[in-house]
Amino acid sequence: MEFRWRYQDAQGRDVAGPDVVFADQTEAEEWFGAAWRDLLDAGVDQVTLLRAESEVYGPMSLHPAQ
């Protein structure tokens, strides 16, 4: 199975983001750990991890907890 991230704005609407596919969940999470600040700067407010088209978890906010 392939893993990828769904990128969304604060209202849950899909927004453009890097079209990267990962072989496993660990690889996807490691990439996200290095990329989340750049995603936030590019206008992504939240992400969901997908395996094929099924949600693994999310949406997860990129903003610090208040």
Side-chain angles (χ1 to χ4, degrees):
M1 284 286 167
E2 295 180 339
F3 290 79
R4 65 181 181 85
W5 293 99
R6 176 190 303 147
Y7 312 103
Q8 296 178 315
D9 64 16
Q11 289 74 40
R13 295 178 296 234
D14 289 349
V15 296
D19 187 19
V20 184
V21 177
F22 306 93
D24 59 47
Q25 184 172 341
T26 300
E27 183 182 350
E29 291 170 341
E30 288 174 353
W31 176 87
F32 175 75
W36 74 270
R37 286 181 184 91
D38 292 336
L39 294 171
L40 185 59
D41 290 345
V44 176
D45 291 298
Q46 61 188 25
V47 296
T48 299
L49 182 61
L50 303 173
R51 186 176 100 202
E53 293 303 314
S54 299
E55 292 183 3
V56 176
Y57 60 80
M60 177 174 64
S61 175
L62 302 188
H63 297 276
Q66 302 264 345

Short mmCIF file of all heavy atoms in Angstrom, two decimals:
data_model
loop_
_atom_site.label_atom_id
_atom_site.label_comp_id
_atom_site.label_asym_id
_atom_site.label_seq_id
_atom_site.Cartn_x
_atom_site.Cartn_y
_atom_site.Cartn_z
N MET A 1 0.83 -1.19 0.00
CA MET A 1 0.00 0.00 0.00
C MET A 1 0.87 1.25 0.00
O MET A 1 1.93 1.27 0.61
CB MET A 1 -0.88 0.04 1.24
CG MET A 1 -2.05 -0.88 1.23
SD MET A 1 -3.30 -0.21 0.13
CE MET A 1 -4.33 -1.61 0.01
N GLU A 2 0.39 2.27 -0.64
CA GLU A 2 1.09 3.55 -0.66
C GLU A 2 0.46 4.50 0.35
O GLU A 2 -0.74 4.47 0.58
CB GLU A 2 1.01 4.16 -2.05
CG GLU A 2 1.73 3.37 -3.10
CD GLU A 2 1.61 4.00 -4.47
OE1 GLU A 2 0.69 4.81 -4.71
OE2 GLU A 2 2.45 3.69 -5.31
N PHE A 3 1.29 5.35 0.91
CA PHE A 3 0.86 6.37 1.85
C PHE A 3 1.11 7.74 1.24
O PHE A 3 2.08 7.93 0.51
CB PHE A 3 1.62 6.25 3.17
CG PHE A 3 1.26 5.03 3.97
CD1 PHE A 3 1.79 3.79 3.65
CD2 PHE A 3 0.38 5.12 5.03
CE1 PHE A 3 1.45 2.67 4.38
CE2 PHE A 3 0.04 4.00 5.76
CZ PHE A 3 0.58 2.78 5.44
N ARG A 4 0.23 8.68 1.57
CA ARG A 4 0.41 10.07 1.13
C ARG A 4 -0.33 10.97 2.10
O ARG A 4 -1.14 10.51 2.91
CB ARG A 4 -0.09 10.28 -0.30
CG ARG A 4 -1.58 10.09 -0.47
CD ARG A 4 -2.01 10.27 -1.93
NE ARG A 4 -3.44 10.11 -2.07
CZ ARG A 4 -4.33 11.07 -1.88
NH1 ARG A 4 -3.94 12.29 -1.56
NH2 ARG A 4 -5.61 10.84 -2.01
N TRP A 5 -0.06 12.25 1.99
CA TRP A 5 -0.71 13.25 2.85
C TRP A 5 -1.76 14.00 2.06
O TRP A 5 -1.56 14.32 0.88
CB TRP A 5 0.32 14.24 3.38
CG TRP A 5 1.28 13.60 4.33
CD1 TRP A 5 2.55 13.17 4.04
CD2 TRP A 5 1.06 13.30 5.70
NE1 TRP A 5 3.12 12.62 5.16
CE2 TRP A 5 2.23 12.68 6.19
CE3 TRP A 5 -0.01 13.48 6.56
CZ2 TRP A 5 2.35 12.26 7.52
CZ3 TRP A 5 0.11 13.06 7.88
CH2 TRP A 5 1.28 12.46 8.35
N ARG A 6 -2.89 14.29 2.71
CA ARG A 6 -3.91 15.21 2.17
C ARG A 6 -3.69 16.54 2.88
O ARG A 6 -3.59 16.59 4.10
CB ARG A 6 -5.31 14.70 2.45
CG ARG A 6 -6.39 15.69 1.98
CD ARG A 6 -7.78 15.31 2.46
NE ARG A 6 -8.13 13.97 2.02
CZ ARG A 6 -8.89 13.13 2.73
NH1 ARG A 6 -9.38 13.49 3.90
NH2 ARG A 6 -9.17 11.94 2.27
N TYR A 7 -3.62 17.61 2.13
CA TYR A 7 -3.37 18.95 2.66
C TYR A 7 -4.65 19.76 2.63
O TYR A 7 -5.36 19.74 1.62
CB TYR A 7 -2.29 19.65 1.83
CG TYR A 7 -1.07 18.79 1.59
CD1 TYR A 7 -0.87 18.18 0.35
CD2 TYR A 7 -0.15 18.56 2.60
CE1 TYR A 7 0.24 17.38 0.12
CE2 TYR A 7 0.97 17.75 2.38
CZ TYR A 7 1.14 17.17 1.14
OH TYR A 7 2.25 16.36 0.92
N GLN A 8 -4.93 20.46 3.73
CA GLN A 8 -6.17 21.24 3.80
C GLN A 8 -5.94 22.59 4.48
O GLN A 8 -4.99 22.76 5.24
CB GLN A 8 -7.23 20.46 4.57
CG GLN A 8 -7.63 19.17 3.88
CD GLN A 8 -8.64 18.39 4.68
OE1 GLN A 8 -8.51 18.22 5.88
NE2 GLN A 8 -9.66 17.89 4.00
N ASP A 9 -6.88 23.51 4.21
CA ASP A 9 -6.87 24.79 4.91
C ASP A 9 -7.61 24.63 6.24
O ASP A 9 -8.07 23.53 6.58
CB ASP A 9 -7.44 25.92 4.04
CG ASP A 9 -8.91 25.73 3.69
OD1 ASP A 9 -9.62 24.92 4.33
OD2 ASP A 9 -9.38 26.43 2.78
N ALA A 10 -7.76 25.71 6.98
CA ALA A 10 -8.38 25.66 8.31
C ALA A 10 -9.86 25.27 8.24
O ALA A 10 -10.41 24.77 9.22
CB ALA A 10 -8.23 27.00 9.01
N GLN A 11 -10.51 25.46 7.09
CA GLN A 11 -11.92 25.10 6.93
C GLN A 11 -12.09 23.67 6.40
O GLN A 11 -13.21 23.23 6.15
CB GLN A 11 -12.63 26.09 5.99
CG GLN A 11 -12.85 27.46 6.60
CD GLN A 11 -11.56 28.27 6.68
OE1 GLN A 11 -10.74 28.25 5.76
NE2 GLN A 11 -11.37 28.97 7.78
N GLY A 12 -11.00 22.95 6.20
CA GLY A 12 -11.07 21.58 5.73
C GLY A 12 -11.14 21.42 4.22
O GLY A 12 -11.40 20.33 3.72
N ARG A 13 -10.89 22.50 3.50
CA ARG A 13 -10.87 22.43 2.03
C ARG A 13 -9.49 21.98 1.57
O ARG A 13 -8.48 22.43 2.10
CB ARG A 13 -11.20 23.78 1.42
CG ARG A 13 -12.62 24.25 1.74
CD ARG A 13 -12.86 25.62 1.13
NE ARG A 13 -11.96 26.59 1.75
CZ ARG A 13 -12.37 27.72 2.32
NH1 ARG A 13 -13.64 28.06 2.32
NH2 ARG A 13 -11.49 28.54 2.86
N ASP A 14 -9.46 21.10 0.59
CA ASP A 14 -8.19 20.63 0.05
C ASP A 14 -7.41 21.79 -0.57
O ASP A 14 -7.99 22.66 -1.23
CB ASP A 14 -8.42 19.55 -1.00
CG ASP A 14 -8.91 18.24 -0.41
OD1 ASP A 14 -8.88 18.09 0.83
OD2 ASP A 14 -9.31 17.36 -1.19
N VAL A 15 -6.11 21.80 -0.33
CA VAL A 15 -5.20 22.78 -0.92
C VAL A 15 -4.03 22.02 -1.54
O VAL A 15 -3.79 20.86 -1.23
CB VAL A 15 -4.70 23.81 0.12
CG1 VAL A 15 -5.84 24.64 0.66
CG2 VAL A 15 -3.94 23.14 1.25
N ALA A 16 -3.32 22.71 -2.41
CA ALA A 16 -2.17 22.09 -3.08
C ALA A 16 -1.04 21.86 -2.09
O ALA A 16 -0.83 22.64 -1.17
CB ALA A 16 -1.70 22.99 -4.21
N GLY A 17 -0.34 20.79 -2.31
CA GLY A 17 0.83 20.46 -1.52
C GLY A 17 1.70 19.49 -2.31
O GLY A 17 1.32 19.05 -3.40
N PRO A 18 2.86 19.15 -1.77
CA PRO A 18 3.75 18.24 -2.48
C PRO A 18 3.08 16.90 -2.76
O PRO A 18 2.46 16.31 -1.88
CB PRO A 18 4.92 18.05 -1.51
CG PRO A 18 4.86 19.23 -0.59
CD PRO A 18 3.41 19.60 -0.49
N ASP A 19 3.18 16.45 -3.99
CA ASP A 19 2.60 15.17 -4.40
C ASP A 19 3.65 14.08 -4.22
O ASP A 19 4.33 13.68 -5.16
CB ASP A 19 2.14 15.25 -5.85
CG ASP A 19 1.37 14.01 -6.28
OD1 ASP A 19 0.88 13.27 -5.41
OD2 ASP A 19 1.27 13.79 -7.50
N VAL A 20 3.80 13.64 -2.96
CA VAL A 20 4.82 12.66 -2.61
C VAL A 20 4.12 11.40 -2.12
O VAL A 20 3.18 11.47 -1.33
CB VAL A 20 5.74 13.21 -1.49
CG1 VAL A 20 6.85 12.25 -1.19
CG2 VAL A 20 6.29 14.58 -1.86
N VAL A 21 4.59 10.25 -2.61
CA VAL A 21 4.03 8.96 -2.21
C VAL A 21 5.11 8.19 -1.45
O VAL A 21 6.29 8.22 -1.83
CB VAL A 21 3.57 8.16 -3.46
CG1 VAL A 21 3.06 6.79 -3.08
CG2 VAL A 21 2.50 8.94 -4.21
N PHE A 22 4.69 7.51 -0.39
CA PHE A 22 5.63 6.81 0.48
C PHE A 22 5.30 5.33 0.52
O PHE A 22 4.14 4.94 0.44
CB PHE A 22 5.56 7.40 1.90
CG PHE A 22 5.77 8.88 1.91
CD1 PHE A 22 4.70 9.75 1.86
CD2 PHE A 22 7.04 9.42 1.94
CE1 PHE A 22 4.87 11.12 1.87
CE2 PHE A 22 7.24 10.79 1.93
CZ PHE A 22 6.15 11.65 1.91
N ALA A 23 6.32 4.51 0.71
CA ALA A 23 6.16 3.07 0.75
C ALA A 23 5.53 2.59 2.05
O ALA A 23 4.86 1.55 2.07
CB ALA A 23 7.50 2.38 0.54
N ASP A 24 5.75 3.32 3.13
CA ASP A 24 5.19 2.90 4.42
C ASP A 24 4.89 4.12 5.29
O ASP A 24 5.30 5.24 4.99
CB ASP A 24 6.09 1.90 5.14
CG ASP A 24 7.48 2.43 5.43
OD1 ASP A 24 7.61 3.57 5.94
OD2 ASP A 24 8.45 1.71 5.15
N GLN A 25 4.18 3.88 6.38
CA GLN A 25 3.75 4.95 7.27
C GLN A 25 4.94 5.65 7.93
O GLN A 25 4.95 6.87 8.06
CB GLN A 25 2.80 4.39 8.33
CG GLN A 25 2.23 5.46 9.24
CD GLN A 25 1.14 4.94 10.16
OE1 GLN A 25 0.55 3.89 9.91
NE2 GLN A 25 0.86 5.67 11.21
N THR A 26 5.94 4.90 8.32
CA THR A 26 7.11 5.49 8.98
C THR A 26 7.80 6.49 8.06
O THR A 26 8.16 7.59 8.48
CB THR A 26 8.10 4.39 9.41
OG1 THR A 26 7.43 3.52 10.34
CG2 THR A 26 9.34 4.98 10.06
N GLU A 27 7.97 6.12 6.81
CA GLU A 27 8.60 7.02 5.83
C GLU A 27 7.77 8.30 5.66
O GLU A 27 8.33 9.41 5.62
CB GLU A 27 8.73 6.29 4.49
CG GLU A 27 9.44 7.08 3.42
CD GLU A 27 9.51 6.34 2.09
OE1 GLU A 27 9.17 5.14 2.02
OE2 GLU A 27 9.89 6.99 1.11
N ALA A 28 6.45 8.16 5.60
CA ALA A 28 5.58 9.33 5.46
C ALA A 28 5.69 10.25 6.67
O ALA A 28 5.77 11.47 6.54
CB ALA A 28 4.14 8.88 5.27
N GLU A 29 5.72 9.66 7.86
CA GLU A 29 5.80 10.46 9.08
C GLU A 29 7.16 11.13 9.24
O GLU A 29 7.24 12.27 9.70
CB GLU A 29 5.47 9.59 10.28
CG GLU A 29 3.99 9.20 10.29
CD GLU A 29 3.64 8.15 11.32
OE1 GLU A 29 4.55 7.43 11.80
OE2 GLU A 29 2.43 8.04 11.64
N GLU A 30 8.22 10.46 8.84
CA GLU A 30 9.55 11.08 8.90
C GLU A 30 9.64 12.27 7.95
O GLU A 30 10.17 13.32 8.29
CB GLU A 30 10.63 10.04 8.58
CG GLU A 30 10.83 9.04 9.70
CD GLU A 30 11.80 7.93 9.35
OE1 GLU A 30 12.24 7.84 8.17
OE2 GLU A 30 12.10 7.13 10.25
N TRP A 31 9.09 12.11 6.75
CA TRP A 31 9.08 13.22 5.80
C TRP A 31 8.28 14.40 6.37
O TRP A 31 8.73 15.54 6.31
CB TRP A 31 8.46 12.76 4.47
CG TRP A 31 8.32 13.87 3.48
CD1 TRP A 31 9.27 14.30 2.59
CD2 TRP A 31 7.19 14.73 3.31
NE1 TRP A 31 8.78 15.36 1.87
CE2 TRP A 31 7.51 15.65 2.30
CE3 TRP A 31 5.94 14.81 3.91
CZ2 TRP A 31 6.62 16.63 1.88
CZ3 TRP A 31 5.06 15.78 3.50
CH2 TRP A 31 5.40 16.68 2.48
N PHE A 32 7.11 14.10 6.92
CA PHE A 32 6.27 15.14 7.48
C PHE A 32 6.99 15.87 8.62
O PHE A 32 6.92 17.10 8.72
CB PHE A 32 4.95 14.56 7.99
CG PHE A 32 4.10 15.57 8.67
CD1 PHE A 32 3.42 16.52 7.94
CD2 PHE A 32 4.01 15.61 10.05
CE1 PHE A 32 2.66 17.50 8.57
CE2 PHE A 32 3.25 16.57 10.70
CZ PHE A 32 2.57 17.51 9.95
N GLY A 33 7.71 15.14 9.46
CA GLY A 33 8.44 15.76 10.56
C GLY A 33 9.45 16.79 10.09
O GLY A 33 9.69 17.80 10.76
N ALA A 34 10.01 16.57 8.92
CA ALA A 34 10.98 17.51 8.35
C ALA A 34 10.32 18.62 7.54
O ALA A 34 10.90 19.70 7.37
CB ALA A 34 11.97 16.76 7.47
N ALA A 35 9.10 18.40 7.06
CA ALA A 35 8.46 19.32 6.10
C ALA A 35 7.34 20.17 6.67
O ALA A 35 6.89 21.11 6.01
CB ALA A 35 7.93 18.53 4.91
N TRP A 36 6.86 19.90 7.88
CA TRP A 36 5.62 20.54 8.34
C TRP A 36 5.71 22.06 8.39
O TRP A 36 4.75 22.75 8.08
CB TRP A 36 5.14 19.96 9.66
CG TRP A 36 5.93 20.36 10.87
CD1 TRP A 36 7.01 19.73 11.39
CD2 TRP A 36 5.68 21.49 11.70
NE1 TRP A 36 7.47 20.40 12.50
CE2 TRP A 36 6.66 21.49 12.71
CE3 TRP A 36 4.72 22.51 11.69
CZ2 TRP A 36 6.72 22.47 13.69
CZ3 TRP A 36 4.79 23.48 12.68
CH2 TRP A 36 5.77 23.45 13.66
N ARG A 37 6.86 22.62 8.78
CA ARG A 37 6.97 24.08 8.85
C ARG A 37 6.85 24.71 7.46
O ARG A 37 6.22 25.76 7.29
CB ARG A 37 8.29 24.47 9.51
CG ARG A 37 8.29 24.24 11.00
CD ARG A 37 9.61 24.66 11.64
NE ARG A 37 9.66 24.36 13.04
CZ ARG A 37 10.12 23.23 13.57
NH1 ARG A 37 10.60 22.29 12.78
NH2 ARG A 37 10.12 23.04 14.86
N ASP A 38 7.47 24.08 6.47
CA ASP A 38 7.36 24.57 5.10
C ASP A 38 5.92 24.48 4.59
O ASP A 38 5.45 25.37 3.89
CB ASP A 38 8.28 23.79 4.16
CG ASP A 38 9.76 24.05 4.44
OD1 ASP A 38 10.09 25.13 4.99
OD2 ASP A 38 10.57 23.17 4.11
N LEU A 39 5.22 23.41 4.97
CA LEU A 39 3.82 23.27 4.58
C LEU A 39 2.98 24.39 5.20
O LEU A 39 2.15 25.00 4.53
CB LEU A 39 3.27 21.91 5.02
CG LEU A 39 3.88 20.69 4.34
CD1 LEU A 39 3.41 19.42 5.04
CD2 LEU A 39 3.52 20.66 2.86
N LEU A 40 3.21 24.66 6.47
CA LEU A 40 2.48 25.73 7.16
C LEU A 40 2.75 27.07 6.49
O LEU A 40 1.82 27.83 6.23
CB LEU A 40 2.86 25.76 8.64
CG LEU A 40 2.11 26.74 9.53
CD1 LEU A 40 0.61 26.48 9.53
CD2 LEU A 40 2.66 26.67 10.96
N ASP A 41 4.00 27.34 6.17
CA ASP A 41 4.35 28.59 5.48
C ASP A 41 3.70 28.69 4.10
O ASP A 41 3.45 29.80 3.62
CB ASP A 41 5.88 28.71 5.33
CG ASP A 41 6.58 28.96 6.65
OD1 ASP A 41 5.92 29.33 7.65
OD2 ASP A 41 7.82 28.75 6.70
N ALA A 42 3.42 27.54 3.48
CA ALA A 42 2.81 27.52 2.15
C ALA A 42 1.28 27.59 2.20
O ALA A 42 0.63 27.53 1.16
CB ALA A 42 3.26 26.26 1.40
N GLY A 43 0.70 27.68 3.40
CA GLY A 43 -0.74 27.84 3.51
C GLY A 43 -1.50 26.58 3.89
O GLY A 43 -2.73 26.58 3.87
N VAL A 44 -0.80 25.52 4.23
CA VAL A 44 -1.46 24.29 4.70
C VAL A 44 -1.72 24.45 6.19
O VAL A 44 -0.81 24.79 6.95
CB VAL A 44 -0.59 23.05 4.43
CG1 VAL A 44 -1.24 21.80 5.00
CG2 VAL A 44 -0.33 22.88 2.93
N ASP A 45 -2.96 24.23 6.62
CA ASP A 45 -3.31 24.35 8.04
C ASP A 45 -3.43 23.01 8.73
O ASP A 45 -3.24 22.91 9.94
CB ASP A 45 -4.63 25.11 8.19
CG ASP A 45 -4.48 26.56 7.80
OD1 ASP A 45 -3.70 27.27 8.45
OD2 ASP A 45 -5.14 26.98 6.83
N GLN A 46 -3.78 21.96 7.96
CA GLN A 46 -3.95 20.64 8.57
C GLN A 46 -3.68 19.57 7.52
O GLN A 46 -3.76 19.82 6.33
CB GLN A 46 -5.34 20.48 9.16
CG GLN A 46 -6.47 20.60 8.17
CD GLN A 46 -7.84 20.62 8.83
OE1 GLN A 46 -7.98 21.01 9.99
NE2 GLN A 46 -8.87 20.20 8.11
N VAL A 47 -3.34 18.38 8.01
CA VAL A 47 -3.04 17.26 7.12
C VAL A 47 -3.74 16.00 7.63
O VAL A 47 -4.05 15.88 8.81
CB VAL A 47 -1.53 16.99 7.02
CG1 VAL A 47 -0.80 18.15 6.38
CG2 VAL A 47 -0.93 16.64 8.37
N THR A 48 -3.96 15.09 6.70
CA THR A 48 -4.48 13.76 7.01
C THR A 48 -3.60 12.75 6.30
O THR A 48 -3.29 12.92 5.12
CB THR A 48 -5.94 13.62 6.54
OG1 THR A 48 -6.74 14.59 7.20
CG2 THR A 48 -6.49 12.22 6.81
N LEU A 49 -3.19 11.72 7.03
CA LEU A 49 -2.41 10.65 6.41
C LEU A 49 -3.36 9.63 5.79
O LEU A 49 -4.30 9.17 6.44
CB LEU A 49 -1.52 9.96 7.45
CG LEU A 49 -0.61 8.85 6.90
CD1 LEU A 49 0.36 9.41 5.86
CD2 LEU A 49 0.14 8.17 8.03
N LEU A 50 -3.10 9.31 4.52
CA LEU A 50 -3.93 8.36 3.79
C LEU A 50 -3.11 7.13 3.42
O LEU A 50 -1.93 7.24 3.08
CB LEU A 50 -4.45 8.99 2.50
CG LEU A 50 -5.26 10.28 2.63
CD1 LEU A 50 -5.55 10.85 1.26
CD2 LEU A 50 -6.54 10.03 3.40
N ARG A 51 -3.75 5.98 3.50
CA ARG A 51 -3.21 4.73 2.96
C ARG A 51 -4.13 4.35 1.83
O ARG A 51 -5.31 4.05 2.06
CB ARG A 51 -3.17 3.63 4.01
CG ARG A 51 -2.48 2.38 3.49
CD ARG A 51 -2.36 1.34 4.57
NE ARG A 51 -3.45 0.39 4.32
CZ ARG A 51 -3.96 -0.41 5.21
NH1 ARG A 51 -3.56 -0.37 6.46
NH2 ARG A 51 -4.90 -1.26 4.89
N ALA A 52 -3.62 4.42 0.62
CA ALA A 52 -4.46 4.36 -0.58
C ALA A 52 -5.45 5.52 -0.44
O ALA A 52 -5.02 6.66 -0.36
CB ALA A 52 -5.12 3.01 -0.73
N GLU A 53 -6.75 5.27 -0.35
CA GLU A 53 -7.72 6.34 -0.16
C GLU A 53 -8.35 6.32 1.23
O GLU A 53 -9.25 7.10 1.51
CB GLU A 53 -8.80 6.28 -1.24
CG GLU A 53 -8.28 6.58 -2.63
CD GLU A 53 -7.60 7.95 -2.73
OE1 GLU A 53 -8.15 8.94 -2.22
OE2 GLU A 53 -6.51 8.02 -3.33
N SER A 54 -7.88 5.43 2.10
CA SER A 54 -8.42 5.33 3.46
C SER A 54 -7.63 6.21 4.42
O SER A 54 -6.40 6.26 4.36
CB SER A 54 -8.34 3.87 3.96
OG SER A 54 -9.08 3.03 3.13
N GLU A 55 -8.35 6.88 5.32
CA GLU A 55 -7.68 7.73 6.30
C GLU A 55 -7.05 6.87 7.38
O GLU A 55 -7.70 6.02 7.97
CB GLU A 55 -8.68 8.70 6.93
CG GLU A 55 -9.18 9.74 5.96
CD GLU A 55 -10.12 10.75 6.60
OE1 GLU A 55 -10.34 10.69 7.83
OE2 GLU A 55 -10.63 11.61 5.86
N VAL A 56 -5.76 7.12 7.65
CA VAL A 56 -5.06 6.46 8.75
C VAL A 56 -5.30 7.27 10.02
O VAL A 56 -5.69 6.73 11.04
CB VAL A 56 -3.55 6.33 8.46
CG1 VAL A 56 -2.81 5.73 9.64
CG2 VAL A 56 -3.32 5.52 7.19
N TYR A 57 -5.07 8.59 9.93
CA TYR A 57 -5.41 9.52 11.01
C TYR A 57 -5.45 10.93 10.47
O TYR A 57 -4.92 11.23 9.42
CB TYR A 57 -4.47 9.40 12.21
CG TYR A 57 -3.01 9.67 11.93
CD1 TYR A 57 -2.51 10.97 11.85
CD2 TYR A 57 -2.11 8.63 11.79
CE1 TYR A 57 -1.17 11.21 11.62
CE2 TYR A 57 -0.77 8.86 11.58
CZ TYR A 57 -0.30 10.15 11.49
OH TYR A 57 1.03 10.39 11.27
N GLY A 58 -6.07 11.80 11.24
CA GLY A 58 -6.19 13.19 10.88
C GLY A 58 -7.66 13.57 10.76
O GLY A 58 -8.53 12.71 10.92
N PRO A 59 -7.93 14.82 10.51
CA PRO A 59 -6.95 15.86 10.23
C PRO A 59 -6.17 16.26 11.48
O PRO A 59 -6.68 16.21 12.59
CB PRO A 59 -7.78 17.02 9.70
CG PRO A 59 -9.15 16.81 10.26
CD PRO A 59 -9.30 15.32 10.42
N MET A 60 -4.93 16.64 11.25
CA MET A 60 -4.01 17.04 12.30
C MET A 60 -3.55 18.47 11.99
O MET A 60 -3.01 18.74 10.92
CB MET A 60 -2.82 16.07 12.31
CG MET A 60 -1.76 16.41 13.30
SD MET A 60 -0.47 15.12 13.36
CE MET A 60 0.22 15.20 11.72
N SER A 61 -3.79 19.37 12.94
CA SER A 61 -3.42 20.77 12.75
C SER A 61 -1.90 20.94 12.73
O SER A 61 -1.18 20.24 13.45
CB SER A 61 -4.01 21.61 13.89
OG SER A 61 -3.57 22.95 13.76
N LEU A 62 -1.44 21.87 11.92
CA LEU A 62 -0.02 22.22 11.89
C LEU A 62 0.29 23.38 12.83
O LEU A 62 1.44 23.73 13.02
CB LEU A 62 0.42 22.59 10.47
CG LEU A 62 0.22 21.52 9.40
CD1 LEU A 62 0.89 21.97 8.11
CD2 LEU A 62 0.73 20.18 9.84
N HIS A 63 -0.73 23.94 13.44
CA HIS A 63 -0.58 25.08 14.34
C HIS A 63 -0.31 24.60 15.76
O HIS A 63 -0.86 23.57 16.18
CB HIS A 63 -1.82 25.97 14.31
CG HIS A 63 -2.06 26.57 12.96
ND1 HIS A 63 -1.44 27.71 12.53
CD2 HIS A 63 -2.85 26.15 11.92
CE1 HIS A 63 -1.84 28.00 11.31
NE2 HIS A 63 -2.68 27.07 10.91
N PRO A 64 0.48 25.35 16.53
CA PRO A 64 0.73 24.98 17.92
C PRO A 64 -0.57 24.98 18.72
O PRO A 64 -1.48 25.75 18.45
CB PRO A 64 1.67 26.07 18.43
CG PRO A 64 2.21 26.75 17.23
CD PRO A 64 1.20 26.55 16.13
N ALA A 65 -0.64 24.09 19.70
CA ALA A 65 -1.82 24.04 20.59
C ALA A 65 -1.92 25.34 21.36
O ALA A 65 -0.92 25.91 21.78
CB ALA A 65 -1.71 22.86 21.54
N GLN A 66 -3.11 25.81 21.57
CA GLN A 66 -3.33 27.08 22.29
C GLN A 66 -3.63 26.83 23.73
O GLN A 66 -4.28 25.96 24.13
CB GLN A 66 -4.49 27.83 21.66
CG GLN A 66 -4.27 28.09 20.21
CD GLN A 66 -3.70 29.46 19.91
OE1 GLN A 66 -3.71 30.35 20.74
NE2 GLN A 66 -3.19 29.63 18.71
#
